Amino acid sequence: MAGSRDLVLILDFGGQYTQLIARRVREQHVFCEVIRFDTPADAIEARHPKALILSGGPASVYADHAPVCDASIFKLGTPVLGICYGMQVMVRALGGSVAHSPAGEYGKTPASLDTSATLFSSIPPQISCWMSHGDRVEDLPEGFRISARTATCPAAAMENSAQKLFGVQFHPEVVHTPQGTGILRRFLFDISGCVGDWTMSDFATDSALAVRTQVGSARAICALSGGVDSSVAAALVHQAIGDRLTCVFVDTGLMRAGEGDFVERAFHGRFTMPLVRVDAGERFLTALCGVTDPEAKRKTIGRTFIECFRQEALAMENVRFLVQGTLYPDVIESGSPVASTIKSHHNVGGLPADLPFTLIEPLRLLFKDEVRELGRTLGLPDDLVDRQPFPGPGLGVRILGAVTAEKVRILQTADAIVERHMRLAGWYGRVWQSFAVLPGNRTVGVKGDERTYAYTIALRVVESSDGMTADWARLPFDLLETIAHAITSEVAEVNRVVYDITSKPPSTIEWE
Ligand code: XMP
């Protein structure tokens, strides 16, 4: 990246914390990217990384088809830090041995560090660290020394400082390893020579340049939804190609109440690119008629969305690119080479193969909080940048089963009530997301003296830092009561409100 001298590449072996490693590195103002575990060494060398990090992973290095890296990466002279499975991969590649441990280690574990080791020279000798492994290193490769132990793991860390190769069996990237940031800083700055000068405005400048080069003299359209991601993507591409970008707001009919007007207000006067508003609510409802399976709904919405774009784009000349605000977690959850697919995200998995555009996804390396920072850097207003995330398929994944016009109207009304009261109580900005779900069941109730048989609304409020994991929010009972009362009073078709108290995992944030 121009303007930044540091690049760290993280080889992804499918570990649950790979994205967290990337966040921790970028928090140190060092730019990093997650790449496939099997990227050839010459392709890695060609990018001149300052350091490599090998992530953890669910496999055993001796399992059939266990992911392994190109062993030549250890001869590049680039510092390497192997974490958990990444350390075991290094051991195996360099001639050491790994075996199934008689006692695996999971959770917080005390470890003794050798502070004469290069990696730990500025770290206290006794630390608490986060372990999650069943295999352990038995024999070190030649030239390595043990640099940490725990009660059951004799090689909890190792290093060959002459060759700048380091391994830790524990996870320095998680908060349960309090000294983890210090260890990563030591590796990045003292050992690998990173400078830590990467900023969001570097990212904006570099990305705008890359988009300008890619688009050339053609035109692009952007799928503007009013959410943070597409708005920031549009602002970035607008910076790159000005009014050769046309923003298209497809009102799927599955959006929050009043969304179209909000989008027009937010963009009007701030940017010079044309904004086209397409009212496609009927079209989406027709396409969704009778579709009840969550994955089929996601794919139907994604397909219909692209069809609307195709129509708009065909009416314009020279449009070859489609800008989307796809984020890192969307990319990962839609299936990394080694992680399993959880949901087909609208922005990625739902796209048909015959897409006539080349996709531009300028945010695909960023996490949500980074996108917000980028939005501010690009001059977007706070009320837009601080909006809670809203999924591409919209209310389509919050109405369980078949989507109908009536259900959309009920959910939009209930959802607006949730947002209003979350804001009034000062909770809207304190949580990751707060919204209403319509499970579609009816229960018996009583309103006035009348028996009712009406819908239930589920309230979903979660705290999260990136949407990858989430905890249900401990809202005050009074606020829950206010919301439940407002919904059952203002929405005639609802007589019951329940609160979802599950975290992710085992559930997901959205219900479908
Ligand atoms: P889940 O339900 O997978 O959601 O725990 C994680 C985060 O992603 C959002 N989400 C989506 N965002 N397209 C998007 O742009 C999608 O298809 C999609 N599905 C879920 C969700 O709102 C939460 O913030």
Side-chain angles (χ1 to χ4, degrees):
M1 308 281 290
S4 164
R5 283 157 286 177
D6 300 336
L7 170 66
V8 170
L9 295 176
I10 300 168
L11 276 63
D12 180 13
F13 290 93
Q16 54 177 327
Y17 303 127
T18 306
Q19 304 317 313
L20 209 50
I21 302 172
R23 288 175 67 84
R24 295 287 172 260
V25 172
R26 289 198 216 162
E27 276 166 15
Q28 300 305 322
H29 299 285
V30 172
F31 187 73
C32 65
E33 269 181 47
V34 176
I35 59 171
R36 286 181 62 107
F37 63 88
D38 53 359
T39 308
D42 50 0
I44 290 176
E45 191 177 25
R47 301 197 59 190
H48 306 294
K50 281 277 176 67
L52 303 177
I53 297 179
L54 313 185
S55 83
S60 165
V61 279
Y62 290 110
D64 286 347
H65 311 299
V68 288
C69 56
D70 180 341
S72 307
I73 64 168
F74 301 111
K75 302 202 183 86
L76 296 175
T78 308
V80 183
L81 174 64
I83 296 177
C84 195
Y85 180 83
M87 166 170 161
Q88 297 168 6
V89 164
M90 186 189 296
V91 166
R92 185 139 190 241
L94 297 175
S97 71
V98 176
H100 190 68
S101 172
E105 285 177 310
Y106 301 94
K108 276 187 200 170
T109 311
S112 307
L113 307 188
D114 176 352
T115 53
S116 71
T118 305
L119 188 60
F120 301 134
S121 72
S122 49
I123 311 294
Q126 302 297 330
I127 66 164
S128 176
C129 65
W130 187 257
M131 286 287 197
S132 182
H133 66 111
D135 289 354
R136 71 179 192 197
V137 171
E138 290 288 306
D139 300 308
L140 298 189
E142 215 180 300
F144 278 77
R145 65 184 263 202
I146 289 176
S147 51
R149 341 174 155 260
T150 68
T152 53
C153 184
M158 61 170 202
E159 65 179 50
N160 177 339
S161 62
Q163 294 190 22
K164 298 194 176 173
L165 302 178
F166 303 85
V168 286
Q169 186 59 67
F170 57 86
H171 289 271
E173 69 277 20
V174 306
V175 288
H176 310 294
T177 304
Q179 299 295 331
T181 303
I183 295 170
L184 286 175
R185 284 180 60 87
R186 174 92 179 129
F187 175 69
L188 294 171
F189 298 120
D190 303 335
I191 294 172
S192 308
C194 290
V195 180
D197 62 351
W198 179 76
T199 63
M200 235 352 133
S201 86
D202 286 337
F203 183 87
T205 310
D206 293 343
S207 304
L209 184 67
V211 169
R212 205 174 300 135
T213 311
Q214 188 184 2
V215 175
S217 60
R219 298 187 62 90
I221 57 172
C222 177
L224 202 60
S225 72
V228 185
D229 311 343
S230 59
S231 302
V232 175
L236 185 64
V237 174
H238 178 254
Q239 174 157 315
I241 61 168
D243 56 15
R244 277 188 292 123
L245 169 70
T246 300
C247 282
V248 179
F249 172 71
V250 175
D251 189 343
T252 63
L254 304 170
M255 319 197 99
R256 289 169 280 205
E259 192 70 30
D261 296 341
F262 176 86
V263 170
E264 279 192 30
R265 263 199 322 274
F267 275 75
H268 186 72
R270 195 166 269 118
F271 300 100
T272 59
M273 71 267 199
L275 172 61
V276 179
R277 190 169 162 174
V278 185
D279 182 7
E282 284 296 327
R283 188 167 171 173
F284 277 82
L285 277 181
T286 308
L288 283 169
C289 186
V291 184
T292 53
D293 174 69
E295 278 295 289
K297 278 162 73 177
R298 281 176 170 272
K299 296 220 157 121
T300 303
I301 296 169
R303 192 179 57 242
T304 311
F305 186 78
I306 290 297
E307 281 165 10
C308 291
F309 266 103
R310 186 183 278 131
Q311 259 182 5
E312 288 305 313
L314 290 179
M316 292 175 217
E317 278 185 12
N318 208 13
V319 171
R320 297 219 341 260
F321 296 91
L322 170 64
V323 180
Q324 285 200 327
T326 314
L327 302 196
Y328 223 168
D330 305 341
V331 175
I332 300 309
E333 291 211 348
S334 286
S336 86
V338 264
S340 61
T341 299
I342 298 165
K343 289 178 187 178
S344 293
H345 274 249
H346 172 129
N347 295 337
V348 185
L351 298 177
D354 68 339
L355 188 73
F357 314 113
T358 303
L359 272 185
I360 300 181
E361 295 177 316
L363 314 179
R364 63 180 293 124
L365 294 179
L366 300 186
F367 292 99
K368 195 82 183 186
D369 49 352
E370 294 176 317
V371 170
R372 293 202 163 105
E373 197 187 329
L374 178 61
R376 282 192 197 92
T377 306
L378 292 166
L380 285 170
D382 283 348
D383 65 341
L384 184 67
V385 169
D386 292 332
R387 275 190 119 186
Q388 292 177 356
F390 187 69
L395 303 184
V397 291
R398 295 180 181 172
I399 293 170
L400 307 200
V403 178
T404 63
E406 188 208 22
K407 287 185 175 172
V408 171
R409 183 181 49 74
I410 294 170
L411 186 56
Q412 275 179 337
T413 314
D415 192 65
I417 293 169
V418 174
E419 178 169 341
R420 188 174 83 225
H421 284 286
M422 288 295 288
R423 285 188 188 278
L424 279 174
W427 271 87
Y428 181 85
R430 289 170 62 180
V431 297
W432 171 260
Q433 271 172 304
S434 45
F435 56 86
V437 175
L438 187 63
N441 63 305
R442 289 187 215 227
T443 65
V444 174
V446 53
K447 276 192 186 177
D449 290 331
E450 296 278 317
R451 173 192 188 273
T452 56
Y453 186 54
Y455 288 117
T456 299
I457 283 288
L459 183 60
R460 183 71 165 142
V461 186
V462 293
E463 291 176 348
S464 174
S465 59
D466 52 21
M468 305 281 287
T469 59
D471 197 9
W472 63 278
R474 272 61 171 174
L475 291 189
F477 285 162
D478 286 352
L479 176 55
L480 289 170
E481 185 185 0
T482 303
I483 293 173
H485 182 257
I487 292 176
T488 48
S489 313
E490 294 174 41
V491 191
E493 297 85 350
V494 176
N495 66 357
R496 191 176 296 274
V497 175
V498 296
Y499 191 41
D500 181 347
I501 53 164
T502 38
S503 296
K504 172 186 180 178
S507 64
T508 52
I509 296 175
E510 304 293 344
W511 276 35
E512 281 193 340

